[in-house]
């Protein structure tokens, strides 16, 4: 890691007031069958085709390969500028974290970053000069072949991090500065884990996809139902595309942490509905879904993942979120900001992804 890549904002002020949290590793809950199916579809969606390689490659051709396409909004620096009390302490912690230049990896642990972005009204020109969007959701799918476990870990979008060449800002801003490559580099340098591949999905197109599926079943609290549907009663509701999108973006009634849970609930519901659809509907939806996907997997690598499908589906699947325990957000300049203790965060992440393992460092040494 090159230190000169990072501009650390230096300010001074009073105590920040961040509450301490218990970072002890808790038991992770078993994920639903819907999430299990989601991971399978993301990695081996071509298996539903069930025919020869020529047809598989025909569908793979519908995807986009490489990095996200778009320009950097010239107002992004000003829009994402942050100033808050004791910012110098937060920046000092980030600087100390960057000085730790060991990025962990183990070839038996395969890390895929799933990124949700929203080009919105600019979707039609997303390859013709649209601004790169911020990442709406970031989920790390970590496949551990030693423990036969898949960890699906949400990364909070408001975390205060160092973005290479752009100073200290919120994590979701990294994508707006340089697409998935910049986001991966930011996560690697701050969380100290290697990201092997990424899959980016333009979620703006999922509104129409949900409508094609006839809506999705979502269990909602009374507060959620009131906000999304204008109803005062908790229950399970069938949401159309617009309603499901509103639900997945909702955080004003509680927190961004709850919001990530709602995003996973919508993904689960989509997959459950997809699995119950006819083959012709599945193939039709692939025509709609695949053009929304961008990845740095090659076609050959995607094909090779098909052979791993039975192994992946047999693995234990757990979900988590970083930070693991609820941490207070602060509002600064109209934005939610989350300050982490990086020593504690790195320890939790490493214990989660590499239990009882001693990962190697990209710097060629062994972490202890």
């Amino acid at each position: 890691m090159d230190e000169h890549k990072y501009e650390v904002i230096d300010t001074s002020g009073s105590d920040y007031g961040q509450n301490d949290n218990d970072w002890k590793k808790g038991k992770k809950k078993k994920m639903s069958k819907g999430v299990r199916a989601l991971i399978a579809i993301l990695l081996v969606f071509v298996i539903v085709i069930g025919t020869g390689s020529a047809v598989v490659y025909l569908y793979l051709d519908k995807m986009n390969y490489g990095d996200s396409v778009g320009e950097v909004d010239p107002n992004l620096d000003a829009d994402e500028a942050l100033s808050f009390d004791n910012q110098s302490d937060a920046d000092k912690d980030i600087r100390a974290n960057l000085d730790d230049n060991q990025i962990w990896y183990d070839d038996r642990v395969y890390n895929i970053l799933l990124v949700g972005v929203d080009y919105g009204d600019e979707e039609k020109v997303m390859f013709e000069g649209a601004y790169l969007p911020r990442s709406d959701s970031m989920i790390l799918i970590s496949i551990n072949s030693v423990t036969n476990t898949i960890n699906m870990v949400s990364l909070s979008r408001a975390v205060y991090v160092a973005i290479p060449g752009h100073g200290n800002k919120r994590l979701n801003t990294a994508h707006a500065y340089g697409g998935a490559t910049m986001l991966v580099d930011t996560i690697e340098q701050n969380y100290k884990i290697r990201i092997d591949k990424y899959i980016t999905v333009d979620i703006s197109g999922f509104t129409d996809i949900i409508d094609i599926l006839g809506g999705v079943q979502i269990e909602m609290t009374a507060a959620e139902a009131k906000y999304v549907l204008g109803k005062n009663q908790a229950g399970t509701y069938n949401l159309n595309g617009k309603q499901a999108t509103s639900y997945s973006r909702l955080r004003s009634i509680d927190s961004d942490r709850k919001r990530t849970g709602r995003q996973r609930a919508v993904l689960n519901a989509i997959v459950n509905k997809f699995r119950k659809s006819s083959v012709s509907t599945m193939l039709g939806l692939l025509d709609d879904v695949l053009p929304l996907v961008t990845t740095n997997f090659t076609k050959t690598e995607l094909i090779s993942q098909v052979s791993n499908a039975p192994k992946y589906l047999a693995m234990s699947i757990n979900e988590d979120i970083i930070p693991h325990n609820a941490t207070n957000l602060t509002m600064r300049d109209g934005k939610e900001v989350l300050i982490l203790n990086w020593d504690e965060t790195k320890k939790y992440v490493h214990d989660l992804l590499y239990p009882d393992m001693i990962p190697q460092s990209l710097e060629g040494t062994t972490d202890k």
Side-chain angles (χ1 to χ4, degrees):
M1 179 179 62
D2 299 327
E3 184 175 358
H4 70 273
K5 294 170 65 177
Y6 298 89
E7 304 169 14
V8 179
I9 307 167
D10 292 321
T11 61
S12 59
S14 58
D15 291 340
Y16 180 68
Q18 184 73 14
N19 289 344
D20 292 332
N21 289 277
D22 177 13
W23 286 81
K24 292 182 179 178
K25 185 176 180 181
K27 184 177 180 181
K28 300 175 290 298
K29 69 178 183 179
K30 186 79 172 285
M31 297 186 80
S32 68
K33 292 181 180 178
V35 176
R36 183 187 296 273
L38 170 63
I39 294 174
I41 287 175
L42 287 173
L43 296 177
V44 297
F45 56 86
V46 294
I47 204 171
V48 303
I49 299 169
T51 57
S53 60
V55 178
V56 171
Y57 272 95
L58 176 65
Y59 275 86
L60 289 177
D61 282 340
K62 297 177 183 294
M63 295 174 58
N64 307 294
Y65 297 91
D67 204 348
S68 308
V69 176
E71 300 177 355
V72 178
D73 185 343
N75 298 315
L76 186 60
D77 281 339
D79 291 344
E80 288 296 332
L82 294 169
S83 60
F84 47 87
D85 296 340
N86 216 11
Q87 183 168 326
S88 59
D89 283 356
D91 292 332
K92 181 179 179 180
D93 191 32
I94 286 179
R95 187 188 298 277
N97 187 40
L98 295 179
D99 286 341
D100 172 12
N101 60 2
Q102 293 181 330
I103 298 176
W104 288 36
Y105 77 96
D106 188 300
D107 289 335
R108 298 169 296 176
V109 177
Y110 198 60
N111 293 326
I112 303 169
L113 182 66
L114 175 61
V115 186
V117 298
D118 186 357
Y119 279 89
D121 294 337
E122 294 186 305
E123 180 186 358
K124 293 182 180 179
V125 293
M126 62 184 293
F127 300 110
E128 301 173 7
Y131 293 145
L132 284 165
R134 297 165 181 80
S135 49
D136 202 56
S137 61
M138 293 155 285
I139 301 175
L140 179 66
I141 300 173
S142 183
I143 305 168
N144 189 319
S145 62
V146 177
T147 63
N148 289 319
T149 300
I150 296 177
N151 286 295
M152 190 173 182
V153 186
S154 294
L155 301 179
S156 295
R157 62 203 296 269
V159 171
Y160 189 57
V161 298
I163 300 177
H166 299 283
N168 298 343
K169 295 178 173 66
R170 298 180 302 168
L171 177 60
N172 70 328
T173 310
H175 189 277
Y177 276 114
T181 299
M182 178 67 77
L183 179 58
V184 165
D185 194 25
T186 299
I187 292 171
E188 287 185 335
Q189 302 296 345
N190 288 271
Y191 293 84
K192 307 301 180 183
I193 54 173
R194 186 180 71 181
I195 305 296
D196 295 291
K197 294 293 178 180
Y198 61 76
I199 299 172
T200 302
V201 181
D202 179 10
I203 60 176
S204 62
F206 274 80
T207 298
D208 293 336
I209 291 169
I210 291 172
D211 286 336
I212 293 172
L213 286 170
V216 290
Q217 294 286 314
I218 299 292
E219 184 177 350
M220 305 173 70
T221 66
E224 291 169 340
K226 183 175 182 179
Y227 183 92
V228 176
L229 301 173
K231 300 180 181 294
N232 295 317
Q233 186 174 355
T236 299
Y237 295 93
N238 191 73
L239 305 185
N240 61 31
K242 183 177 180 180
Q243 292 165 342
T245 300
S246 176
Y247 169 80
S248 66
R249 292 174 174 168
L250 173 61
R251 68 175 182 272
S252 61
I253 63 172
D254 38 48
S255 67
D256 186 63
R257 190 179 184 86
K258 293 289 188 180
R259 178 177 180 265
T260 63
R262 284 188 276 268
Q263 291 171 346
R264 292 192 296 272
V266 171
L267 289 174
N268 289 342
I270 292 173
V271 172
N272 278 330
K273 199 66 176 286
F274 184 85
R275 293 173 67 208
K276 297 176 183 178
S277 301
S278 65
V279 173
S280 61
T281 299
M282 289 183 182
L283 296 180
L285 284 171
L286 285 178
D287 289 330
D288 294 320
V289 171
L290 298 186
L292 301 173
V293 176
T294 301
T295 183
N296 63 343
F297 274 107
T298 66
K299 294 177 184 178
T300 301
E301 288 170 337
L302 286 172
I303 293 294
S304 70
Q305 292 298 326
V306 174
S307 63
N308 292 327
K311 179 177 69 175
Y312 293 154
L313 293 173
M315 288 183 172
S316 172
I317 303 179
N318 300 302
E319 75 172 311
D320 212 321
I321 183 171
I322 303 298
H324 177 68
N325 293 324
T327 303
N328 287 348
L329 285 163
T330 183
M331 292 296 298
R332 300 295 175 182
D333 301 318
K335 307 175 189 69
E336 294 177 333
V337 183
L338 185 60
I339 307 297
L340 300 186
N341 180 311
W342 284 107
D343 287 339
E344 293 176 341
T345 299
K346 287 184 296 184
K347 183 180 186 307
Y348 185 84
V349 171
H350 294 164
D351 288 346
L352 174 65
L353 303 186
Y354 308 102
D356 300 319
M357 301 168 67
I358 304 178
Q360 300 300 305
S361 165
L362 291 181
E363 296 297 319
T365 61
T366 302
D367 286 323
K368 296 180 180 180

